[in-house]
Amino acid sequence: MINSFLEIVVPYTAFAIFIVGIIIRIVNWAKSPVPLKIVTTCGQQYTLPFIKRTVWDKLEAPYTKLGVIPRMFFEVFMFRSLFRNTRYYIDKHEARDTRWLWGFALMFHVSFFITLIRHLRFFTDPVPKWVIALSELEALKIFVPSVYITGITGLIGLTYLLLRRLYGKKERTLSYPSDYFPLLLLISIFITGLWMRYISKIPLINVKKLALGLVTLHPVAPDVHPLFLLHFMLVCTLIAYFPFSKLVHAIGIFFSTTRVMPNNCRAVRHVNPWNPPYEGITWEEYYQNYKDQLDEIAEKGYVIRPEIEEEEEEEEEEEGGEKE
Amino acid sequence: MTEEEVPPPEELKIEPRYPSWREMLKPVTEKDFKPGFYHYSANVSDMEELHLPFPREWDPKEKDWKLPENWKEIFLNKLKEICDKNRSFKLFMDICVRCGACADKCHYYLGTGDPKNMPVGRAEILRSVYRRYFTISGKIFGELVGARDLTEDVVKEMYYYLYQCSQCRRCSVFCPYGIDTAEIDLWGRDLLTSIGINHKFTLISIAGCARAGNHLGLLPGGMVGSLQMAAEDIYNITGIEIEVPVNKKGAEILFVAPSGDYFAVPHWYTFMGYLMLFHEIGLDYTWSTYAGEGGNFGSFQSYKLAQKLNAKIYQEAERLGVKWILGGECGHMWRDKHQYMATMNEIPENLEEPVSPITGTKFENAVSTKMVHIAEFVADLIYHNKLKLDPSRNDHWKVTLHDSCNPARAMGLLEEPRYVIGNVCNYFYEMPAHTIREKTYCCASGGGNLADEVMELRMRGGMPRAMALKHVHEKYGVNYLCTLCAIDRAAFPHLLEYWKLPVEVGGMMELVGNALIMKGEKERTTDLRGQPLKGREE
């Protein structure tokens, strides 16, 4: 009974929450219009033909929608903007490049992604060749069982992310419990996973049965090792937690208006669906307000000329009169 | 407050504070507002003139801000409305992970050490309220997820910190998700406007511009007086009598500059530069008194006020029947013109795709908005050898370029000014790489912070830029800070005096004006400032 609850009801519920939650998020973002094209340019704009744009300019100030694709590719897969990171040394009054956050954050994200793919071997039968190939590629076979690099690097990355929040002064000030929670959750998931593989070496037959049952919609609730059950519950928590937390940044970035819009603001008009009508002074009202002064400009034939030498004094008097 | 009242640089302490997350959620209120950092409240007359809600006298330093009775309801409704109307804002409320990459990118944070001046700290002031009322986790877990109730104290904190942002977008360059604090800040200010909280300096300028056609509230006669005086100054230096068209129907081009250019010093020399160039190339153009302002302080405040001001440019272009619009040197103006104007307004049908009448070049990147930046226009003239230039007339200047925030980060105008400067000056030096181009530091007086009452904030926030300038001043003897922004030109003289840097501030067109050899000019002995030219001293 408890088995069916934990192994069937919980995962399906968590997954349902995840899917529905994510869809609600996406719909919620997508249904709000984008009133302005507010791209952040990090390179030279497309301009006169003799002003050359480097590859980086084209990447960071894309002129076309197509040009946005490489920009987003680098943002999503290489954390381009984070790569720019600097640290300001107040005593020296200068900023220097710092890539620690970039390196460890990327390390974690890539490792997590590959680890997820590796887990497909539990959910598929037969296991696709490319999943096996990928797993083989990163396996250190000098150990038995062979050690998957990304399992380790993922944990290292997470540990760094946690430590900087704990020991970085700025970062600690900025961190809510809701910032530690997903980190601790992920670290627990990694640790239980590694523990199962390298220390407890738990049997996997029932785990695979469970996983296959879930994806084929013929769920079974076999007996599994309690450590696995813990790992599994933590994962379900993460999945259900995802849509309601800051973890939605993974999807949100694809909506980020400063990055996904091309910098062709003056070349291609952006329309705001709720643009309000103009409310303000018209030329007619303006003319009525300042009729005398405007008429004087008209009298001059709409051209202002310098008053030179002897006429200067006279003109100044007239000017004074105008202003009254 | 003037810069003399700010403690001198030697005594200025920057002590970063690192409170706990719980303390971060406690609002900073009027008791903690420091002179030199908080802004004065708006004039009742300006609020009335702009039809803003709840005009009344109130003082940020007093406990009672005289908010309307149902202010909370209004505020939350407005917040919901903003989220529903603006994906960027909603998204930026949701996806921040508080990685802190933005923190030491903000010049105000660097200069004050106040954690709520980190871009993320500033945004969290709003986000905490958003979470509490619009997210499930915030409703359930409250403070644990960084959510807090909306109270009057929170509103006070918003006012204090949302106006300590110059909307320069430097943080947005470094944010891994491109979160744009300027966007959050702009809509946050709009939120405050909805419950009757406004800022004096910005509103005076907006009201002046809406009424008279420029931020200074200068009447048409005053603007004409300025144009005439500049023409006389040009006569004195070059011996050439130029004519300046104003409100002229049927001209080919409408020229719009920030009003600071025809009013203040050192803007004045840039202003002369425009007039000299247009005369020399025989441009068929006109100034306008109705659309006499390129800048747009409305864009610091709200969508509607931004539209109220930039609409007039298109209206005037239509009335005068011009073909396209040329814009002067200004920073936020170009965010407004590049990203806002053509969206906020219908583009008049009489406008045509901008083509330089001198070179025949079509400005392809401006075919829809029909507005071209003066640096683009001049770079094109120089490239086609349409100008006779004597760069040695700028030899008394060792020039560096301050990229203004908005042209750099909202437009990508980086190489055009460098191309022009490279052709009109012989001595040009770049400041350190992390302080220029898209990473440029703000002058710390943009976004409404040009107000005198926040002088200490300005002097502190300008520290990173001042230090970068100090570096090139000491290394290369740089004595001219070139900047294509009217607010910069107003702000930097104070900043550089405070930080004791003997560097003059001026615009690109001043340098062009110096170098430009005009037909029939007398031998020049001075630059546009009346300073003797190098090698031609008496």
Side-chain angles (χ1 to χ4, degrees):
Chain A
M1 190 58 206
I2 185 83
N3 266 10
S4 350
F5 178 74
L6 293 180
E7 294 174 21
I8 300 171
V9 179
V10 170
Y12 276 133
T13 313
F15 195 67
I17 294 174
F18 177 79
I19 295 293
V20 174
I22 289 295
I23 290 174
I24 289 174
R25 278 280 181 174
I26 292 177
V27 169
N28 187 29
W29 285 329
K31 79 177 180 196
S32 288
V34 180
L36 295 163
K37 204 191 273 182
I38 55 162
V39 53
T40 302
T41 52
C42 303
Q44 170 62 39
Q45 66 166 348
Y46 173 82
T47 180
L48 301 157
F50 59 89
I51 304 267
K52 290 286 170 272
R53 300 210 306 154
T54 65
V55 176
W56 290 110
D57 290 329
K58 285 176 190 166
L59 186 77
E60 309 235 65
Y63 187 64
T64 57
K65 280 184 181 165
L66 209 63
V68 169
I69 295 172
R71 185 179 203 191
M72 286 310 289
F73 177 87
F74 275 83
E75 287 292 353
V76 172
F77 293 102
M78 305 296 227
F79 299 180
R80 169 71 187 115
S81 289
L82 207 50
F83 188 71
R84 263 191 279 270
N85 204 4
T86 58
R87 184 191 166 103
Y88 195 86
Y89 294 86
I90 212 114
D91 46 338
K92 298 191 198 78
H93 296 300
E94 62 174 33
R96 291 197 188 143
D97 292 338
T98 169
R99 304 263 152 78
W100 297 102
L101 178 59
W102 173 81
F104 283 100
L106 194 61
M107 184 195 274
F108 157 66
H109 281 84
V110 170
S111 304
F112 187 58
F113 187 63
I114 294 176
T115 306
L116 276 183
I117 291 173
R118 268 201 283 105
H119 276 65
L120 282 178
R121 71 193 168 108
F122 296 109
F123 295 95
T124 47
D125 192 35
V127 181
K129 284 203 179 89
W130 64 274
V131 173
I132 298 169
L134 185 76
S135 307
E136 291 286 298
L137 202 67
E138 61 145 327
L140 288 178
K141 292 194 175 153
I142 48 169
F143 300 101
V144 180
S146 54
V147 171
Y148 291 128
I149 297 169
T150 52
I152 311 292
T153 49
L155 187 60
I156 294 172
L158 281 168
T159 309
Y160 174 82
L161 294 179
L162 181 67
L163 290 179
R164 71 186 282 278
R165 282 198 189 273
L166 287 172
Y167 294 104
K169 286 184 200 155
K170 285 198 301 280
E171 290 78 3
R172 189 161 61 188
T173 289
L174 292 173
S175 300
Y176 300 124
S178 58
D179 293 307
Y180 296 109
F181 178 70
L183 281 174
L184 292 172
L185 195 58
L186 280 161
I187 288 175
S188 313
I189 290 170
F190 266 82
I191 289 179
T192 48
L194 295 173
W195 198 285
M196 278 188 287
R197 179 171 171 85
Y198 302 114
I199 298 173
S200 296
K201 297 178 183 160
I202 67 159
L204 294 173
I205 297 172
N206 282 355
V207 172
K208 177 128 190 179
K209 264 189 200 159
L210 168 62
L212 266 180
L214 286 173
V215 290
T216 52
L217 301 180
H218 294 291
V220 287
D223 281 326
V224 288
H225 194 280
L227 196 56
F228 169 75
L229 208 54
L230 179 62
H231 182 74
F232 190 58
M233 287 303 107
L234 290 170
V235 171
C236 289
T237 312
L238 180 72
I239 290 175
Y241 173 76
F242 192 95
F244 305 99
S245 66
K246 64 171 191 175
L247 301 180
V248 291
H249 67 259
I251 294 152
I253 184 157
F254 294 99
F255 288 85
S256 183
T257 38
T258 58
R259 296 287 189 270
V260 300
M261 302 180 101
N263 180 39
N264 56 6
C265 308
R266 278 183 294 151
V268 179
R269 189 179 179 214
H270 181 77
V271 177
N272 172 12
W274 55 263
N275 194 45
Y278 170 70
E279 278 172 28
I281 196 168
T282 59
W283 166 264
E284 295 310 320
E285 291 166 85
Y286 175 81
Y287 177 71
Q288 290 308 324
N289 288 348
Y290 308 111
K291 194 167 183 307
D292 294 352
Q293 297 181 31
L294 292 168
D295 283 346
E296 202 152 328
I297 296 173
E299 276 162 31
K300 290 178 180 166
Y302 302 105
V303 173
I304 312 300
R305 294 181 177 84
E307 297 295 329
I308 296 154
E309 285 151 34
E310 68 278 0
E311 293 161 33
E312 219 164 73
E313 263 182 33
E314 263 179 57
E315 194 53 41
E316 262 171 28
E317 269 173 33
E318 267 181 39
E319 275 262 306
E322 264 171 44
K323 275 180 189 162
E324 283 165 13
Chain B
M1 199 173 206
T2 62
E3 72 263 26
E4 286 89 30
E5 289 170 57
V6 180
E10 313 81 63
E11 287 169 33
L12 197 74
K13 287 202 180 70
I14 299 169
E15 288 168 330
R17 290 190 305 112
Y18 304 105
S20 72
W21 64 273
R22 275 193 193 276
E23 277 172 74
M24 280 292 275
L25 285 169
K26 284 193 193 113
V28 165
T29 65
E30 82 283 352
K31 283 174 243 133
D32 314 301
F33 286 8
K34 282 183 285 181
F37 292 86
Y38 79 90
H39 287 266
Y40 297 160
S41 55
N43 296 330
V44 175
S45 55
D46 292 328
M47 289 183 69
E48 281 168 348
E49 195 176 333
L50 293 167
H51 309 294
L52 299 180
F54 312 115
R56 74 211 179 284
E57 294 282 351
W58 65 282
D59 181 356
K61 278 298 268 182
E62 271 170 23
K63 192 167 167 35
D64 182 10
W65 282 23
K66 300 175 190 163
L67 297 178
E69 225 162 82
N70 57 339
W71 68 268
K72 209 163 160 176
E73 189 191 330
I74 300 172
F75 187 99
L76 291 173
N77 286 341
K78 179 79 181 176
L79 184 54
K80 174 146 194 342
E81 185 195 323
I82 291 171
C83 289
D84 290 343
K85 277 179 154 184
N86 187 351
R87 184 185 304 166
S88 317
F89 182 86
K90 193 197 277 181
L91 189 84
F92 296 158
M93 289 290 109
D94 283 328
I95 62 172
C96 176
V97 300
R98 289 170 296 286
C99 70
C102 58
D104 58 356
K105 311 306 177 288
C106 175
H107 51 286
Y108 290 123
Y109 174 66
L110 293 175
T112 63
D114 184 340
K116 289 188 179 176
N117 265 333
M118 296 177 193
V120 48
R122 203 184 311 283
E124 284 297 316
I125 294 170
L126 258 173
R127 270 193 205 112
S128 57
V129 174
Y130 168 83
R131 285 195 200 101
R132 168 66 186 76
Y133 297 92
F134 298 99
T135 68
I136 297 169
S137 55
K139 282 177 192 165
I140 299 174
F141 296 108
E143 285 208 337
L144 297 176
V145 295
R148 61 176 174 174
D149 287 334
L150 177 62
T151 62
E152 278 200 50
D153 285 349
V154 171
V155 169
K156 289 171 182 173
E157 180 171 80
M158 276 180 201
Y159 178 71
Y160 190 52
Y161 284 108
L162 290 183
Y163 280 99
Q164 289 191 38
C165 170
S166 57
Q167 306 183 341
C168 78
R169 308 177 100 213
R170 191 167 191 266
C171 46
S172 153
V173 168
F174 292 91
C175 175
Y177 315 118
I179 295 174
D180 181 1
T181 307
E183 188 72 4
I184 297 172
D185 200 66
L186 166 67
W187 295 93
R189 290 178 183 191
D190 196 15
L191 260 172
L192 292 177
T193 297
S194 73
I195 53 171
I197 295 178
N198 291 290
H199 170 236
K200 185 175 180 175
F201 175 77
T202 320
L203 236 52
I204 291 176
S205 309
I206 297 172
C209 191
R211 182 191 337 116
N214 56 73
H215 289 147
L216 305 161
L218 219 58
L219 304 185
M223 184 171 169
V224 165
S226 266
L227 290 166
Q228 187 172 333
M229 212 149 77
E232 283 156 15
D233 282 358
I234 292 168
Y235 174 79
N236 289 337
I237 286 168
T238 65
I240 295 173
E241 288 181 53
I242 64 162
E243 294 183 342
V244 187
V246 184
N247 293 352
K248 187 177 129 189
K249 281 193 180 177
E252 185 176 354
I253 293 165
L254 169 65
F255 180 68
V256 181
S259 56
D261 282 0
Y262 50 84
F263 173 75
V265 175
H267 309 57
W268 188 258
Y269 315 113
T270 298
F271 175 44
M272 289 166 71
Y274 299 140
L275 297 178
M276 291 161 77
L277 176 83
F278 299 155
H279 169 84
E280 182 58 24
I281 60 176
L283 196 67
D284 178 16
Y285 81 111
T286 181
W287 293 76
S288 159
T289 57
Y290 174 73
E293 177 64 66
N296 187 345
F297 280 23
S299 71
F300 303 154
Q301 193 76 24
S302 74
Y303 188 99
K304 279 221 82 161
L305 289 174
Q307 184 199 37
K308 199 183 192 80
L309 303 192
N310 61 27
K312 294 165 83 179
I313 293 173
Y314 274 157
Q315 289 180 12
E316 187 69 341
E318 188 169 17
R319 187 183 75 85
L320 297 175
V322 300
K323 286 186 183 160
W324 54 278
I325 308 162
L326 185 61
E329 294 181 18
C330 187
H332 74 274
M333 159 179 171
W334 275 100
R335 180 171 194 198
D336 180 64
K337 304 301 170 275
H338 187 69
Q339 298 191 333
Y340 296 174
M341 186 169 74
T343 296
M344 292 179 173
N345 305 284
E346 288 301 320
I347 303 162
E349 280 177 12
N350 58 297
L351 290 184
E352 295 171 12
E353 294 183 349
V355 174
S356 170
I358 317 298
T359 65
T361 302
K362 183 161 133 187
F363 296 95
E364 267 182 56
N365 60 344
V367 292
S368 166
T369 301
K370 278 105 181 168
M371 185 152 177
V372 175
H373 193 288
I374 186 81
E376 296 169 335
F377 183 71
V378 177
D380 177 61
L381 289 173
I382 294 175
Y383 179 76
H384 288 97
N385 287 321
K386 298 295 179 186
L387 303 180
K388 272 195 186 166
L389 298 166
D390 176 4
S392 75
R393 294 206 292 221
N394 280 314
D395 276 358
H396 55 311
W397 297 129
K398 290 196 160 64
V399 181
T400 191
L401 175 70
H402 163 76
D403 288 281
S404 302
C405 314
N406 285 293
R409 288 186 279 261
M411 198 182 172
L413 185 97
L414 305 172
E415 290 299 337
E416 293 90 338
R418 285 178 170 79
Y419 182 84
V420 173
I421 293 169
N423 278 284
V424 297
C425 307
N426 288 323
Y427 303 102
F428 176 72
Y429 307 91
E430 290 278 15
M431 285 183 277
H434 67 93
T435 73
I436 53 166
R437 302 175 75 91
E438 77 276 4
K439 296 194 189 82
T440 186
Y441 281 111
C442 184
C443 64
S445 301
N449 281 313
L450 199 57
D452 283 344
E453 68 259 27
V454 291
M455 195 56 87
E456 184 166 347
L457 178 74
R458 289 167 53 185
M459 297 303 110
R460 283 172 173 271
M463 182 272 290
R465 170 47 81 222
M467 291 303 119
L469 183 61
K470 191 177 175 196
H471 176 77
V472 285
H473 170 67
E474 286 170 356
K475 194 167 174 188
Y476 306 111
V478 163
N479 61 359
Y480 188 97
L481 179 68
C482 178
T483 164
L484 281 71
C485 171
I487 288 182
D488 283 339
R489 290 195 283 270
F492 273 125
H494 297 281
L495 187 76
L496 303 187
E497 193 182 330
Y498 175 78
W499 288 99
K500 302 189 172 66
L501 288 167
V503 176
E504 292 295 321
V505 179
M508 178 191 85
M509 285 307 290
E510 176 185 349
L511 299 172
V512 173
N514 277 337
L516 186 69
I517 301 172
M518 298 171 75
K519 283 183 273 306
E521 70 178 11
K522 65 179 186 191
E523 165 134 29
R524 287 199 214 175
T525 52
T526 68
D527 66 5
L528 300 188
R529 299 181 180 221
Q531 295 181 5
L533 294 175
K534 201 170 184 181
R536 279 162 246 195
E537 296 101 338
E538 308 205 352

